[in-house]
Amino acid sequence: QVQLVESGGGLVQAGGSLRLSCAASGRTFSSYTMGWFRQAPGKEREFVAAIVRSGISTYYADSVKGRFTISRDSGKNTVYLQMNRLTPEDTAIYYCAAPGSLNIAQKKRASEYAYWGQGTQVTVSS
């Protein structure tokens, strides 16, 4: 069975950092684009970051650009999200996502992704 498991969330002060990890099993995703999304209370799930199979191209939401970095270790079938200079507006549940096909047209679109983790909570205090 395909499974994505996020870890690394927690409570952090504004200005602090966290690194999220997403470990995949049931399928090797080294040839797939991988993405991170987040959902705050009362809001829709939104795109955060994505990385292509080679890692040469990355995509970020404007709200996190310059603060967050997505990376991957294909040998470990794992994707990471390094989050720096966190603010209370970053508080949300963060989800790892993987598509069901090798090629996807819109890497920032949630509907392109078939597999989702259960999420990890990130809370940033003032």
Side-chain angles (χ1 to χ4, degrees):
Q1 297 181 7
V2 173
Q3 187 174 34
L4 305 177
V5 180
E6 302 96 336
S7 63
L11 175 64
V12 64
Q13 294 182 8
S17 299
L18 287 172
R19 190 182 76 155
L20 306 184
S21 298
C22 172
S25 61
R27 178 185 294 177
T28 299
F29 285 97
S30 59
S31 298
Y32 294 75
T33 295
M34 299 289 289
W36 284 98
F37 292 77
R38 68 185 182 186
Q39 187 167 19
K43 296 187 176 182
E44 295 184 345
R45 189 169 300 185
E46 65 175 352
F47 169 79
V48 176
I51 186 168
V52 301
R53 56 177 291 180
S54 67
I56 193 170
S57 295
T58 56
Y59 304 82
Y60 297 96
D62 289 342
S63 60
V64 307
K65 195 172 300 181
R67 299 188 298 120
F68 290 11
T69 302
I70 188 171
S71 61
R72 68 193 303 164
D73 186 336
S74 295
K76 297 181 179 180
N77 212 24
T78 301
V79 63
Y80 305 95
L81 185 68
Q82 179 67 46
M83 307 185 295
N84 298 324
R85 291 184 283 119
L86 287 161
T87 75
E89 288 69 39
D90 295 315
T91 296
I93 301 175
Y94 284 71
Y95 298 90
C96 176
S101 61
L102 290 174
N103 299 305
I104 58 175
Q106 299 293 331
K107 297 172 178 62
K108 300 180 179 180
R109 186 181 297 169
S111 61
E112 296 278 14
Y113 297 85
Y115 303 103
W116 296 83
Q118 293 300 303
T120 184
Q121 177 70 50
V122 172
T123 303
V124 185
S125 62
S126 302

